[in-house]
Amino acid sequence: MSKPKTKRWLSFFDEIKDLGAGGNADVYLVTEKTSGCQYALKELRNRNEEKKSRFISEIQIAKENSAIIPGIIPVIADDCENYWYTMPIAQPVMEFINEKNLQEIVNGVLQLCETLEQLHDKRIHHRDIKPSNIYYYEGRFSLGDFGLVDFPDNDDFTRSDQGLGAIFTIAPEMKRNPKVADASKADVFSLAKTLWMFLSGDEKGFDGVYNHLDESHSLRYVSRFKDEHLVEIDELLKDSTNNDPNLRPDIHMFKERLLSWSEIANDFDKSQNSDWMFLTQQLFGENVPGSSVWREIDKIVAVLNIIGRTPAYNHMLLSDHGGLDFSYAMRATEENCIYLYDTLGICYLVKPKSLQYEGFSEDYRWSYFRLDLKKLAPIICKYDKIDYEYLVEDVPGHYVDASYVQYGVYDYDSGKPLPEGYKEVKRYLEGSFLFVLKNGPYNHISGTYDGRHGMFESDEFREYIEKLIKMYLALFEKASCDERFKELSREEIDCMILESAYFNQNPFKTIDKDNEEKKKMEDARALIKKRRAFIKENYKEWNFFNAFCLTTEYPERPIRFFFEFRESSGGNIFDLINNKQKCICRNGLIKEVTVGNFEECAFVNNREEAVEILGNIAKIFEEYLNNEGLAAVDDHHQCFSISFRRHGIPSHLFEKSEIETAMRNADDRHNNQLVVDEDGYVKIISDNKDGMLYPVRLECWNAGNNYVGKFSKLCTLDEDYKYCLHGWLRYLKTGRKQYMDYLTEEIEEDSLISQIKEFYNK
């Protein structure tokens, strides 16, 4: 063998950089000296007779077909004597599809199918299909590197005992005896593996035949496709990677089946029906029963996992109320129990009694799976009003209370950390879970989120569904024939029917109970109306002088407080226009005063004193109502509000460090709220309603959400400081209380502080 003479092309091109090397050739980025155009240049490195022959064939096939068959990277210039050729710069397809969705990727593979169809019709076979030989060029997926191409009258050097093809996409027969293998079916095998690589992002592929239930490679276990319709793609990948090439589709059928998937996936009814057929065939084959039941735990887990990987059918309604999408099931450590995981990762521990399937030939969309549970003894005997316990499984099979799991500790006070690998679980003590079609009719009935399926025995629930189906079909037929609804889609007619009272009514609620509740509501409305009228007509004559008779002495503060009454129904605007306020005066009566002229008002010199007096005022209110048989003042604010107001200039302006200290010292086991008092001090109040009494209050932090306390990262500190500044400035401008849960404008902190200080200098 003579020593190869390399880079003879340097007289025509300047080398920019090395683009990589294959088993037999090197590729460079070059610039043509005369034109300045850039190309990719491929030069044969291994120059035995077989490799040289294949290289020349590669050039000839690309040159002869790229001009007439779209999707082939063309040869721009070549030198068969020195074994190099140039081609245009194209983007590697794996780079191109990085952000593409399922449909876009399939569209690209369909383009490859069209190219391969025309090549196969000419008995030309690529035999080296893999992602690295595919590019995005001139707006489409295109094939490159025809180094292993097979074509009529080819002087094929292939040996019967030597595998031929890419290691991760090669068909099994091409490993065993490539010389006699059907190269067209081998191309289909490689294209199927390549399609999987495009979708999974894994260029090392999977071994053997595709199995949609195998977690190691099933596309149903790829998170980005969890809500995608995959049935026809699953089936195509399975058939196209069959070890027997005679059972694989040819390239024409491969393309038709991909087109069929695209049509079905983009049609709601077709995709839902396809998912249903796929699910039932896996469970029952061709003969789908009306009912079926599984009682063995491992079989229940297996069936649930099939359901969980069927995106159209994995909506899980909980035993007590509500619903969410189910993901998968597995054996639990606790004896005879299983874990159920939803798509958010929440874990439910249950002890299954049976899993039942109930199907309906009248309309498959109403079919469902029902998981009935055996009773479990409670672990901590704490949750007596709900069906489950919220626990931490700290070590397998052992549970502790999950009250402090959000902090990663056993106990808030001690701070003892939970071990690595602990599991949060909702341990259901009894009940039933229901699995229904996500976009099916039962899940479109909003009332079914009341957990009514758990109120029925299994036979009763099936009878209930049969009644709903019968009514639904009758109403749908009637609506479909009604001219008024002829422009409506099936989905719109479904919504109209399923939102009706008949479907939403819980059959366990009797008419008598409904009427009793209705009467109670009517009586309550009548009492409220009477109470409002009485308050509105008489409050000006009521005397609140005794509310100010206190035994406790409070220290004086730089600011004082007076008490204001504000009518809620139109009075506010009228009073503002007329510059009037209604206040409690020194004689205990309510009187209109001019804004800014408070000489007649009753003042107190301490906030704590004002809070106590406000409570006394409420008691006097209640006495007046009691005397008329109209007890309770909880709704007097619907007529007017009572509040104390600041009079004087605040002495303090809070800083961020004060808010940080307050948040850190707060106890997150309680509901907490950040407030600013009338003198400009911040504090956090817990588990009471006094936030309404402060000039500025922020949205409440619910107990256990870890926004405050010793375990918190205080991630909202900067935001909360800015909210307090905005609210405090608004309060100083308007004199009215501010509730801050969002910002209507963005102002820099320095500007806010500067504007606030102007009020302190008045």
Side-chain angles (χ1 to χ4, degrees):
M1 187 192 326
S2 60
K3 183 178 179 180
K5 298 179 181 179
T6 59
K7 296 192 177 183
R8 295 289 295 273
W9 43 268
L10 283 173
S11 58
F12 306 103
F13 302 96
D14 291 323
E15 179 182 346
I16 300 175
K17 64 178 180 179
D18 190 341
L19 291 178
N24 302 298
D26 301 310
V27 182
Y28 305 91
L29 177 65
V30 300
T31 300
E32 189 176 33
K33 294 180 183 292
T34 56
S35 68
C37 294
Q38 289 189 346
Y39 299 104
L41 185 146
K42 183 174 181 179
E43 180 181 32
L44 185 64
R45 181 180 66 254
N46 186 349
R47 296 189 180 181
N48 62 34
E49 291 304 312
E50 175 190 349
K51 305 304 180 184
K52 289 192 291 185
S53 177
R54 288 192 187 281
F55 194 79
I56 293 172
S57 296
E58 176 181 356
I59 295 172
Q60 290 174 343
I61 290 296
K63 289 177 67 174
E64 292 172 3
N65 292 280
S66 60
I68 57 175
I69 300 178
I72 297 175
I73 301 295
V75 169
I76 304 299
D78 65 275
D79 185 340
C80 290
E81 291 184 3
N82 293 296
Y83 302 102
W84 60 260
Y85 70 87
T86 59
M87 49 192 161
I89 304 298
Q91 184 180 10
V93 77
M94 292 300 284
E95 292 180 9
F96 174 76
I97 65 174
N98 188 37
E99 299 296 330
K100 299 297 182 288
N101 61 35
L102 177 58
Q103 182 66 67
E104 291 172 320
I105 293 173
V106 168
N107 289 343
V109 175
L110 284 168
Q111 293 170 346
L112 294 176
C113 290
E114 293 168 357
T115 301
L116 287 169
E117 276 186 316
Q118 296 184 64
L119 288 172
H120 285 194
D121 287 346
K122 297 177 69 173
R123 295 168 58 202
I124 298 172
H125 307 103
H126 191 281
R127 299 199 299 184
D128 196 17
I129 297 172
K130 58 183 178 182
S132 60
N133 286 341
I134 300 171
Y135 301 86
Y136 186 74
Y137 174 68
E138 291 191 340
R140 62 170 295 142
F141 285 28
S142 298
L143 290 167
D145 197 342
F146 281 76
L148 298 181
V149 68
D150 178 44
F151 54 93
D153 302 323
N154 178 24
D155 185 13
D156 196 352
F157 284 84
T158 302
R159 288 165 33 193
S160 62
D161 61 346
Q162 182 180 17
L164 186 70
I167 182 173
F168 295 123
T169 60
I170 186 173
E173 65 273 17
M174 297 297 283
K175 296 178 183 178
R176 294 190 297 266
N177 192 349
K179 196 170 185 69
V180 300
D182 182 347
S184 64
K185 295 295 184 74
D187 273 357
V188 167
F189 183 99
S190 298
L191 184 62
K193 292 272 184 171
T194 298
L195 169 59
W196 182 91
M197 292 175 180
F198 287 165
L199 297 176
S200 68
D202 180 2
E203 291 189 65
K204 292 187 177 180
F206 60 91
D207 294 329
V209 180
Y210 177 81
N211 180 358
H212 74 276
L213 292 177
D214 190 333
E215 293 185 34
S216 70
H217 67 264
S218 171
L219 294 175
R220 292 174 181 262
Y221 290 86
V222 177
S223 59
R224 63 186 287 214
F225 300 134
K226 65 180 182 179
D227 294 323
E228 297 278 7
H229 176 75
L230 295 171
V231 170
E232 290 73 29
I233 290 178
D234 278 334
E235 293 175 329
L236 180 59
L237 289 176
K238 177 185 176 182
D239 293 346
S240 299
T241 56
N242 196 303
N243 286 324
D244 184 349
N246 295 317
L247 298 180
R248 295 178 207 148
D250 63 16
I251 192 61
H252 300 289
M253 182 55 67
F254 189 98
K255 185 186 80 170
E256 290 304 313
R257 290 176 63 172
L258 265 190
L259 287 170
S260 177
W261 168 84
S262 185
E263 178 187 351
I264 292 170
N266 288 290
D267 185 297
F268 174 78
D269 287 333
K270 288 182 178 179
S271 63
Q272 190 165 254
N273 182 62
S274 173
D275 272 320
W276 168 248
M277 296 296 294
F278 190 64
L279 173 62
T280 54
Q281 283 178 3
Q282 291 176 80
L283 296 177
F284 309 114
E286 296 300 324
N287 299 312
V288 181
S291 298
S292 187
V293 60
W294 298 268
R295 291 188 174 88
E296 296 178 18
I297 288 184
D298 289 334
K299 289 184 178 179
I300 289 174
V301 169
V303 173
L304 288 174
N305 283 332
I306 293 174
I307 295 170
R309 296 303 166 186
T310 308
Y313 220 93
N314 67 346
H315 195 68
M316 177 173 68
L317 296 174
L318 302 178
S319 178
D320 41 358
H321 60 82
L324 26 74
D325 289 348
F326 169 67
S327 182
Y328 66 95
M330 62 183 295
R331 275 268 199 170
T333 308
E334 186 173 350
E335 187 177 4
N336 296 323
C337 292
I338 63 175
Y339 300 123
L340 304 176
Y341 287 89
D342 65 28
T343 53
L344 298 176
I346 299 173
C347 178
Y348 308 84
L349 184 141
V350 300
K351 187 176 184 179
K353 177 182 178 182
S354 64
L355 177 65
Q356 298 162 262
Y357 161 76
E358 300 291 343
F360 303 93
S361 57
E362 306 95 314
D363 188 345
Y364 76 90
R365 300 179 305 147
W366 290 86
S367 302
Y368 63 86
F369 294 85
R370 174 186 169 114
L371 181 66
D372 286 332
L373 310 180
K374 292 180 181 179
K375 286 189 176 183
L376 285 171
I379 300 294
I380 58 177
C381 301
K382 176 180 176 181
Y383 303 98
D384 56 344
K385 293 185 178 179
I386 54 178
D387 294 340
Y388 65 86
E389 297 178 295
Y390 181 40
L391 305 172
V392 166
E393 191 173 2
D394 56 346
V395 294
H398 181 264
Y399 305 101
V400 296
D401 188 1
S403 296
Y404 309 113
V405 67
Q406 65 271 38
Y407 313 117
V409 299
Y410 281 96
D411 177 76
Y412 191 86
D413 291 325
S414 70
K416 180 182 177 182
L418 289 164
E420 290 187 14
Y422 70 84
K423 189 192 302 290
E424 296 177 53
V425 299
K426 289 185 175 181
R427 185 175 179 269
Y428 272 76
L429 304 179
E430 58 183 332
S432 300
F433 284 28
L434 195 70
F435 301 86
V436 299
L437 204 64
K438 188 184 303 182
N439 291 303
Y442 189 82
N443 197 37
H444 279 170
I445 302 172
S446 58
T448 60
Y449 269 52
D450 60 7
R452 63 187 59 175
H453 61 277
M455 303 173 189
F456 289 90
E457 293 297 326
S458 57
D459 290 343
E460 292 177 317
F461 187 67
R462 180 179 174 100
E463 290 175 5
Y464 166 63
I465 296 296
E466 286 173 342
K467 290 178 182 178
L468 294 184
I469 294 174
K470 185 176 181 181
M471 178 60 75
Y472 165 79
L473 292 174
L475 292 173
F476 185 83
E477 182 179 2
K478 187 174 181 179
S480 300
C481 299
D482 194 319
E483 284 294 315
R484 293 173 297 173
F485 309 131
K486 65 179 182 179
E487 300 298 327
L488 297 182
S489 66
R490 174 170 183 162
E491 185 177 2
E492 289 170 323
I493 294 176
D494 274 2
C495 288
M496 182 175 63
I497 294 172
L498 299 172
E499 288 173 1
S500 66
Y502 176 85
F503 290 91
N504 281 277
Q505 180 183 0
N506 189 324
F508 278 94
K509 290 185 177 181
T510 64
I511 296 175
D512 291 340
K513 287 183 179 179
D514 288 343
N515 288 338
E516 183 180 339
E517 291 176 4
K518 185 177 180 181
K519 187 176 185 307
K520 286 181 180 179
M521 291 178 62
E522 290 175 351
D523 290 344
R525 282 195 290 265
L527 180 61
I528 291 171
K529 185 176 181 181
K530 187 176 181 180
R531 190 182 297 152
R532 287 177 181 171
F534 175 73
I535 294 173
K536 193 171 184 66
E537 291 173 7
N538 295 282
Y539 75 88
K540 291 182 181 179
E541 300 176 7
W542 296 345
N543 193 301
F544 300 94
F545 182 82
N546 289 336
F548 293 81
C549 298
L550 304 177
T551 57
T552 305
E553 292 186 5
Y554 293 98
E556 291 190 9
R557 299 290 170 83
I559 57 177
R560 299 188 298 166
F561 300 89
F562 63 94
F563 297 84
E564 181 189 38
F565 280 58
R566 300 183 71 213
E567 291 191 44
S568 300
S569 55
N572 294 344
I573 298 175
F574 181 80
D575 287 346
L576 288 172
I577 293 173
N578 290 276
N579 203 29
K580 295 283 187 180
Q581 283 180 275
K582 295 184 180 72
C583 301
I584 296 182
C585 295
R586 290 192 295 270
N587 62 3
L589 297 176
I590 299 169
K591 182 179 178 181
E592 287 187 356
V593 297
T594 303
V595 174
N597 184 12
F598 302 109
E599 293 180 0
E600 297 183 65
C601 294
F603 280 98
V604 295
N605 297 317
N606 182 280
R607 188 177 204 284
E608 289 75 14
E609 183 180 9
V611 172
E612 186 175 347
I613 290 172
L614 197 63
N616 292 338
I617 292 172
K619 291 178 183 178
I620 293 173
F621 238 106
E622 190 165 6
E623 289 177 8
Y624 282 116
L625 293 174
N626 274 327
N627 292 336
E628 292 295 319
L630 301 170
V633 297
D634 56 340
D635 67 329
H636 67 76
H637 62 275
Q638 296 174 6
C639 300
F640 53 81
S641 61
I642 312 169
S643 60
F644 55 84
R645 298 276 304 281
R646 172 184 59 84
H647 185 264
I649 297 174
S651 62
H652 179 73
L653 175 58
F654 54 86
E655 296 181 353
K656 185 189 293 186
S657 60
E658 297 174 50
I659 297 177
E660 181 177 7
T661 299
M663 292 175 71
R664 180 62 69 199
N665 292 335
D667 189 336
D668 193 52
R669 290 172 290 186
H670 304 279
N671 295 331
N672 293 288
Q673 188 171 34
L674 181 62
V675 297
V676 184
D677 71 15
E678 291 80 1
D679 209 16
Y681 288 90
V682 293
K683 64 186 297 187
I684 286 181
I685 57 175
S686 298
D687 288 340
N688 58 44
K689 298 180 180 178
D690 286 349
M692 296 283 291
L693 302 179
Y694 286 86
V696 179
R697 72 187 196 278
L698 272 60
E699 188 174 11
C700 186
W701 295 301
N702 290 330
N705 61 19
N706 210 19
Y707 283 117
V708 299
K710 60 184 179 180
F711 299 107
S712 174
K713 295 181 180 179
L714 303 186
C715 57
T716 65
L717 173 61
D718 292 340
E719 180 182 80
D720 293 332
Y721 176 53
K722 187 170 287 188
Y723 276 24
C724 286
L725 288 175
H726 273 270
W728 186 236
L729 178 59
R730 291 180 194 172
Y731 167 72
L732 294 175
K733 285 181 177 180
T734 65
R736 301 298 177 190
K737 295 175 183 176
Q738 303 294 325
Y739 174 64
M740 303 299 298
D741 62 346
Y742 68 95
L743 297 179
T744 58
E745 57 182 339
E746 190 65 40
I747 305 176
E748 294 297 325
E749 288 181 11
D750 291 344
S751 177
L752 285 169
I753 293 171
S754 176
Q755 293 180 59
I756 289 170
K757 286 184 176 179
E758 291 179 9
F759 287 91
Y760 283 64
N761 296 326
K762 290 182 178 180

